[in-house]
Amino acid sequence: METLIKNFKDLRITDVPIVGGKNASLGEMFNQLSVEGVRVPDGFATTSKAFWLYLNENKLEQPLKDLLKSLDRKDFKNLQEVGAKARKLILEGKFSNDFSKAIEDAYLHLQEIPDTEVAVRSSATAEDLPEASFAGQHDTFLNVRGKKALLQSIKQCFASLYTDRAIKYREDKSFAHHDIALSVGVQLMVRADKGCSGVGFTIEPESGFENVILLSGVWGLGENIVQGIVNPDEFYVFKPTLEQGKNAIIQKKLGNKEMTMIYAESNGQAAVTNIPTKIEKQNQFILTDAEVLELAKWALIIEKHYKKSMDIEWAKDGITNKLYITQARPETVHTTKTKNKFTVYKLKEKGDILAKGNAIGSKIIVGTARMLDSPKDGYKLLKGDILISENTSPDWDPLLKKAGGVITNRGGRTSHAAIVARELGVPAVVGTDNATQTIKDGETITLSCAEGKTGFVYRGILKYNQKNIDFGKIYLPQTEAKFILSDPEKAFQLAMYPNNGVGLLRIEFIVTHKIKIHPMALVNFDKLEDKAAKKEIEILTKKHPNKPTFFVNQLAEGIATIAAAFYPKEVIVRMSDFKTNEYANLIGGSQFEPKEENPMIGFRGAARYYNKLYKDGFALECQAIKKVREEMGLTNVKVMIPFCRTLEEGKNVIESMAKNKLVQGENNLEVYMMVEIPSNVILAEEFADIFDGFSIGSNDLTQLTLGIDRDSELMTSHFDENNPAAKKMIAMAIEKANKKGIKIGLCGQAPSDFPEFASFLVNAGINSISFNPDALLQGIQNINKAETQRNKFLPVVSFKAKKKTKII
């Protein structure tokens, strides 16, 4: 009897051949991780022996084998017919009295009250291997009550071994159909219908960045998130500072969650219905920060226990308000990838944007748009076409392998379409809202997932580059090679490149793209005169406790994402350096900005920070930095002050920061200064007594040395960083910084464009050079060449291992 049923308390991960990957993992966590606080609902599982006995007693083995022999393995034209017949054979069988009795006894033992609700889940014995995931291939039944409904659900799980998608998946993965048994897990029901549920990855699913946990979820049952019916909430949690006990949520994204899936009454067996989510709940995160952190800690415990990246499912019981882990399996996409080899895609041109959403993968493809309403329309899809639909479910799986790309209106990064696209290695843009309306069936489109976390669909054929890079063959030079960055969406992918951190993080991109609002318009919202701007601000900030907090939180998330990606390497954040005309273009900005004839050398940089016209805005910037460093724990963030004209100005800025509780030296906070004005070079030694380090802004320094407006088209040919006067200023700054014993770097394009300029900097004794992402690898090559020519025979550092060896 006991060989037919196994209680979770008697299961371990080594029992995969007996109860499949899903049930073995549940038993493992129930037994091994409960003591660490991970909450897993109790249950039992039918064994593989029970499945084989069922087939034998009902004489189903040979009929199933004969049926599978008839499968068209070339075009799979008879897949639906074969699948339907196989399922019918299994459903028509009968359970033995022993098996029925074993199930009923285990169910009775599990019950706290008569007819306790349970979840009934399929678990294949070849399931959840690192090289393949059977996620979504077999059926699950929720809220099952009573013996009769339970027995019927278990039989339906048995039959789901032969769903069309499961048959096709096994064919694709070369699994022998007759070697796989189906175990069924019966687990106490978590009432997520009255709460919320979702999924999580202990690795960033697009880039494979290993230091974050992505949690996503929806109100009600999780099927809405799996099928991509609604766009979920998303939370990114940074592992290293989570372990330090910090509020390590570095990014939160509120999904629309327009529908909530709940249970419907149907004779004791699972039945669900989708109802509209109330507006106030759509505008509310499904989890508190404390709950996000609790789930993230559990995810980290699970990952450490299994010693691999994991894909988990979780649920919150709306009656008890307790969180539970309901499933955990190995992450299968990045596990088998070679870490140091990348294919980089880059658009050479831009076009009309037809749709945008969550980018899945990092590829670019061109293809024919093929609009499909359901899998029944699959005959329309030719190999390489870009499939466009409202959303997809596991029933679409046999089709998706033919698609060159996928676009859906609904769904987040953990939706079915996203998971399958990753596994198949095809690019996808999910959660576009309107792709089925804006894209015409049959038109040629370009799908780009190479521009960060946002994917774009462009009209027509756009040219793009594709380049294979083996980072294992790249050496980092002694002179540090850093990034110039601005877009948080690209941070996790770029962190995989050889680098020494971020030498310049421009926050202006975050302000213009994520915040969009002038900070003083938020501080002085009640005094804002522009009614249209006021209305727009109300819309953008309605989900935040107050207007200034919106600025602080959005800026902090953007900075934290980049700081986390490169942690523990330093990330130097330059405080805002908009010119007055640029600030005026922000929402509500015109009221708070003076009009200047020459903004380039006007009210910009350090002069603003302690001036009454902007000091309250600067206070918000300081609060964001403070939140990133102290609350989130990302102490690798340093601050840099731009366009600081005088020593007195430098002191005023340091004092202003201190008033905003951002104190130089406290919690190891370093404050750098941009060297971009001749006065910075002339008085470099005096400025070194105020600041902890320098970074040369070669564009502004060249501009002000030569007296050339770098924005003037007429003077473009005269602007030259290689000009002897500009180079002499740079060399002087480096010499004085070295004399004072403080670090000095340079941010600019010239060291990558001109090998001789890189050589000049290396010979002058620069500590670091920062490059735009597209110039980094060329820049590293130029620095290495310069250091070789200098013939110092210094040891070379591998970017991955941080040892004086080549990457192997």
Side-chain angles (χ1 to χ4, degrees), residues 152-361:
Q152 181 61 23
S153 296
I154 290 173
K155 187 182 290 186
Q156 287 176 299
C157 283
F158 278 4
S160 74
L161 187 63
Y162 290 95
T163 60
D164 299 351
R165 57 186 182 264
I167 294 171
K168 181 65 164 58
Y169 190 88
R170 291 194 295 272
E171 289 288 329
D172 292 340
K173 294 292 181 180
S174 299
F175 283 100
H177 298 286
H178 311 300
D179 290 345
I180 296 173
L182 204 292
S183 165
V184 179
V186 178
Q187 191 176 29
L188 286 172
M189 192 67 217
V190 179
R191 293 305 301 268
D193 60 310
K194 295 181 179 295
C196 56
S197 57
V199 298
F201 290 91
T202 63
I203 189 172
E204 204 281 315
E206 305 315 322
S207 64
F209 181 70
E210 295 177 350
N211 262 354
V212 292
I213 294 164
L214 170 62
L215 299 170
S216 58
V218 295
W219 294 117
L221 302 175
E223 195 65 13
N224 273 343
I225 192 172
V226 173
Q227 293 193 11
I229 293 171
V230 301
N231 295 328
D233 291 347
E234 292 181 350
F235 309 90
Y236 286 87
V237 184
F238 187 52
K239 293 177 187 176
T241 56
L242 176 68
E243 292 187 280
Q244 296 169 18
K246 299 291 185 179
N247 181 4
I249 305 170
I250 59 172
Q251 200 176 118
K252 294 164 70 173
K253 178 183 176 183
L254 190 71
N256 58 31
K257 311 181 296 292
E258 291 174 333
M259 305 298 291
T260 299
M261 188 173 286
I262 61 171
Y263 297 127
E265 293 299 323
S266 180
N267 299 321
Q269 195 172 356
V272 296
T273 184
N274 249 333
I275 61 171
T277 307
K278 293 179 180 178
I279 293 297
E280 57 266 29
K281 294 196 79 173
Q282 289 185 40
N283 293 331
Q284 175 188 341
F285 282 109
I286 55 166
L287 297 170
T288 65
D289 284 1
E291 289 171 331
V292 171
L293 294 172
E294 183 177 19
L295 272 178
K297 288 173 184 174
W298 290 357
L300 197 53
I301 289 169
I302 293 168
E303 179 183 61
K304 287 185 174 182
H305 180 77
Y306 284 105
K307 297 182 174 61
K308 61 187 69 174
S309 299
M310 299 295 288
D311 170 359
I312 67 172
E313 294 182 14
W314 61 268
K316 180 182 177 182
D317 193 303
I319 298 173
T320 65
N321 287 322
K322 289 183 178 179
L323 290 165
Y324 293 88
I325 299 296
T326 56
Q327 193 172 322
R329 54 180 169 261
E331 189 273 342
T332 57
V333 175
H334 295 282
T335 304
T336 55
K337 284 189 176 180
T338 304
K339 298 292 184 183
N340 286 326
K341 292 185 178 179
F342 288 79
T343 302
V344 179
Y345 295 78
K346 184 180 180 183
L347 278 176
K348 296 172 68 176
E349 56 185 338
K350 292 290 181 76
D352 295 334
I353 297 174
L354 297 175
K356 60 182 179 179
N358 297 301
I360 307 302

Side-chain angles (χ1 to χ4, degrees), residues 47-205:
T47 64
S48 56
K49 181 176 181 179
F51 180 78
W52 296 126
L53 281 172
Y54 178 77
L55 295 188
N56 184 51
E57 288 166 355
N58 288 281
K59 298 181 173 54
L60 296 176
E61 291 185 39
Q62 195 58 47
L64 286 170
K65 286 181 179 179
D66 293 340
L67 193 56
L68 267 296
K69 285 179 184 176
S70 69
L71 181 66
D72 172 14
R73 287 175 166 82
K74 183 180 179 183
D75 300 316
F76 294 93
K77 291 179 180 177
N78 65 342
L79 175 62
Q80 292 182 354
E81 179 187 350
V82 169
K85 287 181 178 179
R87 294 190 296 275
K88 185 172 185 288
L89 283 171
I90 292 176
L91 289 172
E92 287 176 346
K94 294 181 179 180
F95 288 156
S96 67
N97 291 334
D98 286 348
F99 188 33
S100 297
K101 181 71 164 53
I103 293 170
E104 291 171 8
D105 288 347
Y107 179 44
L108 184 64
H109 180 74
L110 192 63
Q111 291 184 45
E112 297 174 357
I113 57 174
D115 291 345
T116 293
E117 302 101 331
V118 290
V120 182
R121 306 176 188 275
S122 304
S123 180
T125 56
E127 199 172 39
D128 298 335
L129 300 177
E131 67 274 11
S133 168
F134 278 67
Q137 304 304 318
H138 310 116
D139 289 343
T140 291
F141 299 94
L142 303 176
N143 204 37
V144 178
R145 295 198 307 271
K147 297 175 185 177
K148 182 179 179 181
L150 175 58
L151 292 170
Q152 181 61 23
S153 296
I154 290 173
K155 187 182 290 186
Q156 287 176 299
C157 283
F158 278 4
S160 74
L161 187 63
Y162 290 95
T163 60
D164 299 351
R165 57 186 182 264
I167 294 171
K168 181 65 164 58
Y169 190 88
R170 291 194 295 272
E171 289 288 329
D172 292 340
K173 294 292 181 180
S174 299
F175 283 100
H177 298 286
H178 311 300
D179 290 345
I180 296 173
L182 204 292
S183 165
V184 179
V186 178
Q187 191 176 29
L188 286 172
M189 192 67 217
V190 179
R191 293 305 301 268
D193 60 310
K194 295 181 179 295
C196 56
S197 57
V199 298
F201 290 91
T202 63
I203 189 172
E204 204 281 315

Side-chain angles (χ1 to χ4, degrees), residues 672-723:
Y672 279 47
M673 182 190 78
M674 292 289 293
V675 174
E676 49 196 342
I677 306 168
S679 64
N680 299 150
V681 178
I682 295 166
L683 298 176
E685 292 179 62
E686 289 82 354
F687 276 111
D689 292 331
I690 301 170
F691 295 98
D692 300 298
F694 295 149
S695 181
I696 300 167
S698 56
N699 287 339
D700 267 323
L701 187 57
T702 300
Q703 171 181 242
L704 295 174
T705 299
L706 300 180
I708 294 173
D709 181 354
R710 61 187 172 99
D711 286 346
S712 170
E713 293 182 13
L714 292 172
M715 300 300 292
T716 299
S717 61
H718 297 274
F719 185 89
D720 183 10
E721 291 164 296
N722 272 303
N723 183 279

Side-chain angles (χ1 to χ4, degrees), residues 526-551:
D526 293 338
K527 300 176 184 177
L528 193 58
E529 297 166 2
D530 186 336
K531 292 182 179 179
K534 207 165 186 176
K535 185 177 180 180
E536 199 169 355
I537 292 170
E538 285 280 23
I539 293 171
L540 287 170
T541 63
K542 67 180 180 180
K543 298 165 187 174
H544 292 261
N546 59 63
K547 308 270 181 299
T549 300
F550 168 76
F551 184 95

Side-chain angles (χ1 to χ4, degrees), residues 515 547-557 619-621 623-624 627:
I515 300 171
K547 308 270 181 299
T549 300
F550 168 76
F551 184 95
V552 173
N553 289 344
Q554 293 295 300
L555 182 57
E557 285 185 12
L620 300 185
E621 295 182 34
Q623 287 176 42
K627 180 174 183 177

Side-chain angles (χ1 to χ4, degrees), residues 417-623:
I419 291 169
V420 174
R422 284 190 204 101
E423 187 166 323
L424 295 176
V426 300
V429 179
V430 301
T432 63
D433 290 330
N434 60 354
T436 54
Q437 285 79 48
T438 58
I439 302 171
K440 295 178 181 177
D441 184 52
E443 74 172 313
T444 302
I445 57 176
T446 299
L447 187 159
S448 171
C449 293
E451 300 169 69
K453 284 167 59 181
T454 301
F456 295 90
V457 183
Y458 298 98
R459 178 178 284 114
I461 301 173
L462 298 185
K463 296 177 182 177
Y464 64 92
N465 287 329
Q466 180 178 339
K467 185 178 181 182
N468 297 319
I469 303 173
D470 185 352
F471 290 157
K473 296 180 179 179
I474 296 175
Y475 295 92
L476 273 178
Q478 181 187 20
T479 306
E480 292 185 337
K482 298 180 179 178
F483 274 112
I484 300 171
L485 289 184
S486 58
D487 185 357
E489 289 198 355
K490 299 178 181 179
F492 294 139
Q493 183 67 55
L494 292 174
M496 307 292 185
Y497 282 52
N499 71 86
N500 295 109
V502 179
L504 172 60
L505 194 172
R506 298 187 179 112
I507 68 169
E508 291 78 19
F509 182 93
I510 300 170
V511 174
T512 55
H513 287 73
K514 286 194 71 175
I515 300 171
K516 304 178 183 178
I517 306 166
H518 195 291
M520 295 300 288
L522 292 166
V523 173
N524 299 287
F525 181 73
D526 293 338
K527 300 176 184 177
L528 193 58
E529 297 166 2
D530 186 336
K531 292 182 179 179
K534 207 165 186 176
K535 185 177 180 180
E536 199 169 355
I537 292 170
E538 285 280 23
I539 293 171
L540 287 170
T541 63
K542 67 180 180 180
K543 298 165 187 174
H544 292 261
N546 59 63
K547 308 270 181 299
T549 300
F550 168 76
F551 184 95
V552 173
N553 289 344
Q554 293 295 300
L555 182 57
E557 285 185 12
I559 294 171
T561 300
I562 295 175
F566 291 89
Y567 185 90
K569 301 169 188 173
E570 69 178 9
V571 172
I572 303 174
V573 179
R574 186 182 70 185
M575 304 304 267
S576 64
D577 192 27
F578 284 120
K579 288 72 177 176
T580 50
N581 58 324
E582 295 168 336
Y583 260 122
N585 287 330
L586 295 172
I587 298 170
S590 59
Q591 182 177 328
F592 302 98
E593 293 297 327
K595 288 183 170 55
E596 297 182 294
E597 290 298 322
N598 193 348
M600 184 69 79
I601 53 173
F603 187 50
R604 63 176 284 201
R608 298 179 65 94
Y609 302 158
Y610 55 91
N611 189 290
K612 64 179 182 181
L613 293 178
Y614 188 73
K615 65 178 184 179
D616 291 339
F618 182 66
L620 300 185
E621 295 182 34
C622 291
Q623 287 176 42

